Amino acid sequence: MQTYTLKKIELEINSLANSEKAKGMSRFFKTSKGEYGEGDVFIGVSNPQQHVIAKKYYKEIDLVSLKKLIKSKIHEFRSVALFILVLKYQKTKTIVDKENYVDFYKDNIKYINNWDLVDLSAPHILGDFYFKRDREQLLKYAQSGELWLERIAILSTLHFIKKGELDFTMKVSNILLSHKHDLIHKAVGWMIREIGKKDYNIAYNYIFENCLKMARVTLRYSIEKFDPEIRKMFLNKR
C-alpha cells in the first residue's frame, strides 16, 4: 500500500513537469558547476502544485516511503517530501509523533540542500520543536561551517520571533554575522527585519551596534522597513 502511495505521488509530480520552467528554476536555484545548488535536478513543478500534492497524500504515506522520496535527486520530490513532513508534524497531537518527525528531519538533513527546502521546513519543524526545549542543537548547526545547517539554524528562529522571543535569534545572528555566503547574509538580515516588526527598538539597537560587522546585504535586508532617513543613516555609517 505504501509503495503504491509513493508511486502515485511520483507519477503526479512527474505529470506536472514543465521543461521550460525547469530551465528557469535551475538558473534561479544556481545549479551550475561551482554554484551552491550544483547538480540539483529540477523538472519544473511549482511550489503551489507541490503543496496540493502534499495535502492530498500526507495522511497516506509513512516515513519509510517518505525517506525514499526525500532522497530523490529530483528537487521537487524532496520538496514535496518536506511539505508532507511539515503537515504531518503540524497535524499530530502527540509528543511521540512530533519527536519521530524531528528525528526524521535530522536523520535526513543532508537532503535539505537548497534554500527553499530549508525555508519551507525549518521554522515549522525545528523552530516549533525547540521553542520550549534546549536549543543546543540549533547552536551546533549555526557553528557547523556547513551552509545548509547554518541556514537551518537561523531560519528555525523565525518561529521564536513569531512567538515574541527575540534574544535567541540575535544569539544565532552573532555567530553568523561574519559569514561569507550571500545566502546567510540574506537570512540573517531577514530575521533581524522580522525582529523589527515585533520590537523596533530592539532591532534598531542591534543594527546600530553591529552594522559595521554585517555584510552590506545583511544591513540592507535588516533595515528594509525603516524610514528612508534611518536607512540612509545606517548605509552611510556602514
Side-chain angles (χ1 to χ4, degrees):
M1 177 64 181
Q2 289 298 324
T3 301
Y4 178 64
T5 299
L6 177 60
K7 276 294 176 196
K8 285 197 296 183
I9 292 171
E10 292 173 339
L11 286 170
E12 197 155 332
I13 297 171
N14 281 324
S15 73
L16 297 168
N18 181 313
S19 59
E20 283 305 308
K21 188 179 292 184
K23 291 176 185 176
M25 292 169 79
S26 294
R27 289 192 296 270
F28 184 71
F29 288 101
K30 307 296 184 184
T31 63
S32 297
K33 187 174 177 59
E35 295 182 314
Y36 61 74
E38 180 179 351
D40 208 350
V41 177
F42 287 84
I43 60 173
V45 183
S46 71
N47 267 13
Q49 290 173 319
Q50 294 169 36
H51 201 235
V52 167
I53 295 170
K55 289 176 70 175
K56 184 176 179 180
Y57 293 108
Y58 82 92
K59 293 180 181 178
E60 291 183 34
I61 191 168
D62 64 8
L63 292 184
V64 173
S65 295
L66 200 63
K67 186 178 183 71
K68 295 177 182 176
L69 196 64
I70 203 171
K71 291 172 68 175
S72 174
K73 67 179 181 180
I74 296 173
H75 186 98
E76 289 91 339
F77 282 27
R78 303 198 305 283
S79 183
V80 168
L82 288 166
F83 275 127
I84 287 172
L85 189 65
V86 168
L87 287 169
K88 282 182 172 291
Y89 180 89
Q90 291 176 332
K91 299 298 183 181
T92 188
K93 302 298 183 184
T94 73
I95 296 300
V96 171
D97 280 344
K98 286 189 181 294
E99 288 175 345
N100 286 338
Y101 297 143
V102 169
D103 287 343
F104 179 93
Y105 190 91
K106 293 190 293 186
D107 289 346
N108 294 283
I109 208 161
K110 68 179 180 180
Y111 305 111
I112 306 169
N113 56 358
N114 215 314
W115 61 263
D116 64 314
L117 303 180
V118 172
D119 297 4
L120 75 87
S121 61
H124 305 296
I125 298 177
L126 296 191
D128 178 85
F129 186 76
Y130 286 116
F131 179 61
K132 293 184 178 179
R133 293 175 174 82
D134 181 83
R135 288 91 177 266
E136 187 62 30
Q137 182 68 74
L138 296 180
L139 293 177
K140 287 179 180 177
Y141 288 159
Q143 296 166 332
S144 68
E146 297 183 29
L147 176 63
W148 304 122
L149 295 183
E150 292 163 338
R151 189 164 175 112
I152 285 170
I154 189 65
L155 259 294
S156 293
T157 73
L158 179 59
H159 181 84
F160 303 170
I161 297 170
K162 289 181 176 179
K163 292 291 186 178
E165 184 184 319
L166 312 179
D167 289 348
F168 190 74
T169 298
M170 291 186 287
K171 186 173 184 178
V172 175
S173 295
N174 287 339
I175 295 171
L176 298 173
L177 271 184
S178 61
H179 204 283
K180 295 182 179 179
H181 203 288
D182 183 63
L183 286 176
I184 301 299
H185 298 164
K186 291 176 179 177
V188 172
W190 173 17
M191 292 305 102
I192 297 170
R193 185 175 73 225
E194 293 300 315
I195 288 174
K197 293 177 183 178
K198 288 289 185 180
D199 193 312
Y200 175 87
N201 290 330
I202 287 178
Y204 180 96
N205 290 336
Y206 182 82
I207 296 165
F208 188 85
E209 291 172 9
N210 293 284
C211 67
L212 297 180
K213 303 175 188 175
M214 296 177 181
R216 194 167 181 84
V217 68
T218 302
L219 180 60
R220 284 189 175 278
Y221 267 57
S222 66
I223 62 176
E224 189 176 280
K225 300 298 182 181
F226 286 4
D227 290 338
E229 63 271 19
I230 301 296
R231 293 203 304 270
K232 184 176 180 181
M233 180 271 289
F234 273 121
L235 290 170
N236 288 339
K237 180 179 173 68
R238 178 68 175 80

